[in-house]
Amino acid sequence: MVEEETPTRGTLEDREAVEAAHRAYYAAWEVGDPQAIMDVWADDDRVCYILPGNGPNHGRTAVRERVLETMTFAAGLQFLFTEIDVTVSGDVARLTCVETVISPDTFGGDEEMAAALAKLAVTSLFMRTADGWKMWHHQAGPMLTHLRLERE
Amino acid sequence: MVEEETPTRGTLEDREAVEAAHRAYYAAWEVGDPQAIMDVWADDDRVCYILPGNGPNHGRTAVRERVLETMTFAAGLQFLFTEIDVTVSGDVARLTCVETVISPDTFGGDEEMAAALAKLAVTSLFMRTADGWKMWHHQAGPMLTHLRLERE
């Protein structure tokens, strides 16, 4: 939640608008509405989407294809967010957070995959447009909390 | 490699400068020089660093701590890049790529971890400063090429 006025990170109004766009994006995923998902993405061919486990997908067409493809995996997913941070700099906004994926019965029962994708680190960039803040870039990267990342 | 003039993605000069900053960043990792690594990061407390497998780390102090900590894992690593894309919009630049990590003898022999971190999807943001393009955000997310991401 955006809690305080922090002038160097943008106005409270801008930061709340960015966080609302982020919520709308995941709400669209939760209900499985690809049109609502694409409405959050900017109408700009410089958009880039990095799904968990994937490389970069550039452009509206590639983003739409990946959204539709991912829908077949993501039915019934719900999302929780912690460590939300929004920083606005001019007409660009960056939202970072930790995303917890609640997957009641997905990934075809593949436990290793479910564990790998249960907790994700997220970078979302939004651009200020005449139609409000629109997603310009999104990366969700596996946090691999099931692996031991400390050296022996 | 930045190959052509693409006006909507910024001038060739800007895009080459951003790519050079990106190369300098990884060159500093390859030689294990934390000061050179921190010189690429912006002198700005809004910097954010998402290491593979980690959540967001905000601010110069946290970034420096993570760099120093990661050095103990990363000795001897080398990096190859494919799918490099640079887009400049005003004073913000986004570089995306796929990073292949060559790790001759690292991660304490943990094969699962080595596999998980062998191929990473990268988002780097740079800000235009009086001192050139400086890193403002960096996320490297595991591509999990060792897991089967297709549904059964």
Side-chain angles (χ1 to χ4, degrees):
Chain A
M1 208 69 70
V2 173
E3 280 159 3
E4 48 186 322
E5 192 73 47
T6 313
T8 62
R9 291 169 183 267
T11 68
L12 192 59
E13 185 183 355
D14 275 340
R15 293 161 69 219
E16 286 180 339
V18 167
E19 198 181 339
H22 169 257
R23 278 200 304 270
Y25 183 69
Y26 280 93
W29 274 102
E30 288 185 339
V31 298
D33 182 342
Q35 186 55 54
I37 292 169
M38 291 310 299
D39 284 349
V40 177
W41 282 97
D43 185 17
D44 184 320
D45 220 38
R46 297 170 300 175
V47 294
C48 177
Y49 185 20
I50 305 179
L51 281 151
N54 277 231
N57 297 280
H58 290 279
R60 288 277 300 183
T61 302
V63 169
R64 186 185 292 103
E65 281 170 5
R66 299 304 287 165
V67 165
L68 292 172
E69 197 177 310
T70 306
M71 290 246 130
T72 68
F73 290 84
L77 293 190
Q78 290 195 294
F79 305 95
L80 294 178
F81 301 97
T82 52
E83 302 182 36
I84 296 176
D85 179 276
V86 181
T87 295
V88 178
S89 178
D91 291 337
V92 177
R94 178 192 69 192
L95 184 151
T96 59
C97 64
V98 172
E99 169 186 338
T100 301
V101 182
I102 304 170
S103 52
D105 181 25
T106 49
F107 307 119
D110 181 331
E111 286 181 20
E112 192 185 5
M113 195 158 92
L117 302 184
K119 204 156 212 182
L120 305 165
V122 172
T123 299
S124 292
L125 301 179
F126 293 85
M127 301 299 265
R128 194 195 302 270
T129 76
D131 197 25
W133 289 98
K134 293 292 180 181
M135 191 177 273
W136 192 65
H137 183 85
H138 180 66
Q139 176 168 10
M143 285 181 61
L144 305 179
T145 47
H146 65 304
L147 294 184
R148 221 141 53 91
L149 290 172
E150 277 78 44
R151 199 173 191 181
E152 299 283 304
Chain B
M1 209 68 71
V2 173
E3 280 159 4
E4 48 186 320
E5 192 73 45
T6 313
T8 62
R9 291 170 184 266
T11 67
L12 192 57
E13 185 185 356
D14 275 339
R15 293 161 68 221
E16 285 180 339
V18 168
E19 199 181 341
H22 169 257
R23 279 200 304 270
Y25 183 69
Y26 280 93
W29 274 102
E30 288 185 338
V31 299
D33 182 343
Q35 187 55 54
I37 292 169
M38 291 309 299
D39 284 349
V40 178
W41 282 98
D43 184 16
D44 185 321
D45 219 39
R46 297 171 299 175
V47 294
C48 177
Y49 185 20
I50 305 179
L51 281 151
N54 277 230
N57 296 281
H58 290 279
R60 288 276 302 183
T61 303
V63 169
R64 186 184 293 107
E65 281 169 6
R66 299 305 286 166
V67 165
L68 292 173
E69 196 178 310
T70 306
M71 289 248 131
T72 68
F73 290 85
L77 292 190
Q78 291 194 292
F79 305 95
L80 294 176
F81 301 97
T82 53
E83 301 183 36
I84 296 176
D85 179 275
V86 180
T87 295
V88 178
S89 178
D91 291 337
V92 178
R94 178 192 68 194
L95 183 151
T96 58
C97 64
V98 171
E99 169 186 339
T100 300
V101 182
I102 304 172
S103 51
D105 181 27
T106 48
F107 307 121
D110 181 331
E111 287 182 19
E112 191 184 5
M113 195 158 94
L117 302 184
K119 204 157 211 183
L120 305 165
V122 171
T123 299
S124 293
L125 301 179
F126 293 85
M127 302 300 264
R128 193 195 303 270
T129 76
D131 197 25
W133 289 97
K134 292 292 180 180
M135 191 176 275
W136 193 64
H137 184 85
H138 180 66
Q139 176 169 11
M143 286 180 60
L144 304 179
T145 48
H146 65 302
L147 294 184
R148 238 164 16 114
L149 291 172
E150 278 77 44
R151 200 173 189 178
E152 298 283 303

